[in-house]
């Protein structure tokens, strides 16, 4: 059906099949295809309409996930230079080449989602709408020009696509899964002054290198679950969003029998899918979001800019190899920011507040330098830092909350400026492996030192703690020195 003036194709009949040209419509000068013009004809394989410049929503797009066998046969589209591409225009269509358009073309959301396109080149100055190339599982190469705005989920792929999930039922009723990511993207090149939207490249697990231009603004979850990503130069990036390079974690079975319950004989482990970055240079970044690099298990070194004075929550959570980061300009550190990191020392000369559990389980941390102008140390900030023996400038700390230094190896603390001292702040109750000498806060059946693993070797290790209290102390929590062998107090201050 054609419009009265012959310029717009309204809809094609269900019996039309094979190759379609203008001749099929009497040779009319068709310049536009209406909404759903071809979307319900599954037999057409090729469309050649060289004068078409406008496509309505769902012009060709058709894909019913509940009926995967009922899919369009269209693979080739030859059109004019497009000025408007409606939403979902090519949704689910297995074309492998992009039609002709430029930065001024108005493009609707999910215009090419689930299509067969293998390579995408975006011109300078274009705005990519939400989901424009989402779920394009043949897409391997993405090239983005300068001054481009990449919309949310623009190149997103779903980790559970086509139900590629192996799962089994664990004995306690929980279900565990091994995820397979279907993204085929291997190469991403991004120009200067680009804004990368939320989840733009999420689950692109095959990409190893991203070439990034200057002044990039990287949105939340932009490279989430990009588990193979090892190389990206962030030294000129302007901002990093929340969860930008983080990822999921899940249980997988360690043998080949996926039917085996995950807990059987403890044959399971946790798989992490965050990026594989080893070194991160944020020397130009003005801000960084929470969880930005959480569970990046290979991350060793981070360089922060002088403008980053606040580290948000969980930012380097679970970065178990991280042992090098400059913190001299920081003023606040969020909760669980360095959970389980490999830091051996922490120089915090300007930090006024250390969030809850910020350095929890930093088992190699031996020394800390605090602010000489006063610091608030929140709940469990250095808990389970079993090797921690020295904290400089403790005498200037004004508040130490519950379990802040629980299960450390401190033997002397000067609390002369402390006003509030929380419950279990310096609780000990450590265990010592008699075979290798490693301390732990857990009474396990075997030593936690992977090179030792001695069984039944742990004994209670009670350390003597010398405490100096001051006159400022007004709040004294329950058992702040639980399980400690306390040397005589200098005084109890003026508690009331």
């Amino acid at each position: 059906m054609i419009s009265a003036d012959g310029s717009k194709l309204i809809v094609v009949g269900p019996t039309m099949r094979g190759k379609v040209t203008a001749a099929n419509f009497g040779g009319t000068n068709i310049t536009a295809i209406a909404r759903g013009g071809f979307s319900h004809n599954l037999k057409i394989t090729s469309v050649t309409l060289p004068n078409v410049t406008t496509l309505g929503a769902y012009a060709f797009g058709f894909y019913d996930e509940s009926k995967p066998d009922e899919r369009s046969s269209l693979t080739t589209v030859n059109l004019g230079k497009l000025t408007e591409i409606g939403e979902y225009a090519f949704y689910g269509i297995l074309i492998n080449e992009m039609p002709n358009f430029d930065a001024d073309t108005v493009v609707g959301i999910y215009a090419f989602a689930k299509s067969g396109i293998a390579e995408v080149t975006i011109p300078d100055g274009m705005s990519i709408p939400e989901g424009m190339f989402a779920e394009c599982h043949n897409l391997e190469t993405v090239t983005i020009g300068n001054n481009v705005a990449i919309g949310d989920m623009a190149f997103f792929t779903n980790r559970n696509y086509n139900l590629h999930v192996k799962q089994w039922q664990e004995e306690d009723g929980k279900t565990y899964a091994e995820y397979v990511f279907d993204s085929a993207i291997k190469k991403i090149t991004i120009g200067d002054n680009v804004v990368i939207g939320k989840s733009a490249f999420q689950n692109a697990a095959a990409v190893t290198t991203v070439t990034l231009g200057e002044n990039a603004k990287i949105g939340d979850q932009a490279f989430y679950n990009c588990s193979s990503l090892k190389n990206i130069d962030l030294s000129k990036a302007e901002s990093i969003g929340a969860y930008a390079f983080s990822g999921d974690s899940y249980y997988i079975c360690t043998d080949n029998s996926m039917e085996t319950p995950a807990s059987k004989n403890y044959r399971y482990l946790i798989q992490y899918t965050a990026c594989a970055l080893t070194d991160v240079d944020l020397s130009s970044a003005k801000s960084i979001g929470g969880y930005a690099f959480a569970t990046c298990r290979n991350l060793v070194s981070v360089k922060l800019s002088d403008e980053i004075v606040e580290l948000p929550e969980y930012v380097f959570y679970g970065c178990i190899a991280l042992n090098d980061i400059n913190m001299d300009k920081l003023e606040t550190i969020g909760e669980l920011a360095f959970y389980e990191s490999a830091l051996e020392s922490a120089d915090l000369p300007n930090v006024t507040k250390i969030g809850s559990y910020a350095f929890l389980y930093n088992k190699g941390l031996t020394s800390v330098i605090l602010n000489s102008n006063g610091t608030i140390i929140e709940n469990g900030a250095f808990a389970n830092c079993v090797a921690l023996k020295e904290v400089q400038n403790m005498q200037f700390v004004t508040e130490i909350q519950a379990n802040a230094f629980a299960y450390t190896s401190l033997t002397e603390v000067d609390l002369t400026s402390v006003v509030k001292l929380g419950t279990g702040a310096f609780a000990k109750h450590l265990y010592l492996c008699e075979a290798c000498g490693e301390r732990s806060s857990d009474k396990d059946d075997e030593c936690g030192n992977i090179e030792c693993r001695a069984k039944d070797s742990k004994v209670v290790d009670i350390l003597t703690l010398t405490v100096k209290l001051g006159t400022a102390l007004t709040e004294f929590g329950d058992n702040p020195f639980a399980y400690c062998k306390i040397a005589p107090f200098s005084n109890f201050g003026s508690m009331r």
Side-chain angles (χ1 to χ4, degrees):
M1 181 184 296
I2 305 298
S3 63
D5 63 1
S7 65
K8 178 181 285 189
L9 189 152
I10 306 300
V11 66
V12 298
T15 59
M16 190 172 291
R17 61 187 60 216
K19 298 180 179 180
V20 172
T21 67
N24 293 91
F25 309 101
T28 55
N29 183 26
I30 299 172
T31 60
I33 299 174
R35 178 186 178 93
F38 285 87
S39 64
H40 294 287
N41 187 306
L42 307 183
K43 302 299 182 181
I44 294 173
T45 59
S46 171
V47 173
T48 301
L49 297 171
N51 295 317
V52 168
T53 59
T54 302
L55 299 179
Y58 294 93
F60 299 98
F62 178 82
Y63 181 63
D64 186 345
E65 293 187 10
S66 66
K67 300 176 181 178
D69 294 333
E70 296 183 14
R71 190 162 188 163
S72 173
S73 301
L74 184 61
T75 58
T76 304
V77 176
N78 296 305
L79 307 171
K81 186 175 181 179
L82 298 173
T83 59
E84 183 176 347
I85 303 173
E87 61 184 40
Y88 298 91
F90 293 94
Y91 183 80
I93 304 302
L94 296 180
I95 57 170
N96 53 28
E97 292 185 5
M98 295 280 291
N100 188 13
F101 63 87
D102 60 23
D104 296 324
T105 302
V106 178
V107 183
I109 62 173
Y110 295 92
F112 295 90
K114 292 186 182 289
S115 70
I117 291 171
E119 183 174 352
V120 168
T121 300
I122 301 298
D124 293 350
M126 183 174 178
S127 292
I128 302 174
E130 176 186 332
M132 183 173 177
F133 301 99
E135 304 286 7
C136 289
H137 297 285
N138 295 328
L139 181 59
E140 294 188 357
T141 304
V142 177
T143 304
I144 307 291
N146 300 322
N147 304 301
V148 171
I150 304 175
D152 295 350
M153 300 178 71
F155 298 90
F156 172 91
T157 53
N158 195 312
R159 67 181 182 183
N160 290 327
Y161 183 73
N162 281 343
L163 299 180
H164 286 332
V165 180
K166 299 175 181 179
Q167 61 184 21
W168 63 92
Q169 196 71 19
E170 204 267 342
E171 291 172 344
D172 63 5
K174 296 179 181 178
T175 299
Y176 299 104
E178 181 181 11
Y179 298 110
V180 177
F181 299 97
D182 287 330
S183 173
I185 298 176
K186 295 181 176 63
K187 183 179 181 181
I188 300 173
T189 303
I190 299 173
D192 297 337
N193 307 309
V194 172
V195 177
I196 304 174
K198 181 178 180 179
S199 300
F201 295 96
Q202 183 171 336
N203 299 333
V207 66
T208 60
T209 300
V210 173
T211 302
L212 186 67
E214 298 182 2
N215 305 317
K217 296 180 179 178
I218 300 174
D220 297 349
Q221 296 175 269
F223 295 95
Y224 190 85
N225 281 338
C226 292
S227 55
S228 299
L229 180 57
K230 296 180 179 179
N231 303 300
I232 180 171
D233 183 0
L234 298 174
S235 63
K236 302 297 183 182
E238 184 174 325
S239 60
I240 311 292
Y243 297 91
F245 296 93
S246 184
D248 291 324
S249 60
Y250 57 91
Y251 288 97
I252 63 173
C253 199
T254 56
D255 57 24
N256 293 323
S257 176
M258 298 305 292
E259 291 75 32
T260 302
S263 64
K264 186 176 181 180
N265 298 323
Y266 301 99
R267 296 181 64 79
Y268 68 91
L269 52 83
I270 298 176
Q271 180 69 45
Y272 297 92
T273 56
C275 295
L277 305 172
T278 58
D279 301 282
V280 170
D281 184 344
L282 303 177
S283 53
S284 297
K286 298 178 181 178
S287 64
I288 181 172
Y291 296 81
F293 296 92
T295 67
C296 288
R297 312 288 274 184
N298 298 318
L299 186 61
V300 174
S301 175
V302 174
K303 182 178 182 181
L304 299 175
S305 73
D306 290 348
E307 292 190 62
I308 296 177
V309 296
E310 296 183 8
L311 276 188
E313 71 279 5
Y314 291 80
V315 61
F316 298 109
Y317 175 95
C319 294
I320 60 173
L322 179 61
N323 62 20
D324 181 20
I325 180 171
N326 58 308
M327 295 185 277
D328 55 302
K329 301 297 181 181
L330 294 179
E331 296 175 4
T332 62
I333 298 176
E335 64 178 301
L336 287 158
F338 292 100
Y339 172 79
E340 274 195 335
S341 81
L343 295 172
E344 296 179 1
S345 63
D347 188 354
L348 313 173
N350 293 300
V351 172
T352 57
K353 185 173 76 170
I354 301 173
S356 297
Y357 309 105
F359 294 89
L360 180 66
Y361 283 113
N362 275 232
K363 294 183 178 181
L365 186 65
T366 61
S367 65
V368 174
I369 301 175
L370 298 175
N371 186 347
S372 60
N373 294 315
T375 305
I376 295 173
I377 302 175
E378 295 188 344
N379 297 334
F382 294 95
N384 293 87
C385 294
V386 293
L388 182 59
K389 296 180 179 180
E390 180 185 14
V391 178
Q392 294 185 32
N393 294 328
M394 181 81 84
Q395 69 270 28
F396 301 111
V397 174
T398 56
E399 183 175 340
I400 300 176
Q401 296 182 8
N403 300 304
F405 291 94
Y407 315 121
T408 67
S409 293
L410 291 172
T411 58
E412 184 176 349
V413 291
D414 185 342
L415 309 179
T416 50
S417 296
V418 170
V419 177
K420 297 179 181 180
L421 185 60
T423 298
F426 292 91
K428 293 295 187 187
H429 208 218
L430 292 174
Y431 294 93
L432 178 70
C433 176
E434 294 181 302
C436 71
E438 178 163 303
R439 286 194 175 97
S440 171
S441 60
D442 301 313
K443 176 58 171 153
D444 296 323
D445 292 333
E446 64 179 31
C447 178
N449 182 351
I450 195 170
E451 296 178 356
C452 177
R453 294 299 191 192
K455 294 184 180 297
D456 301 321
S457 65
K458 290 188 177 180
V459 295
V460 175
D461 183 26
I462 299 178
L463 298 177
T464 299
L465 182 66
T466 300
V467 179
K468 184 178 182 181
L469 298 176
T471 58
L473 187 60
T474 59
E475 293 187 22
F476 195 86
D478 292 340
N479 298 316
F481 307 106
Y483 302 105
C484 295
K485 183 179 179 182
I486 301 295
F489 293 108
S490 61
N491 62 70
F492 280 92
S494 56
M495 292 179 288
R496 58 181 182 272

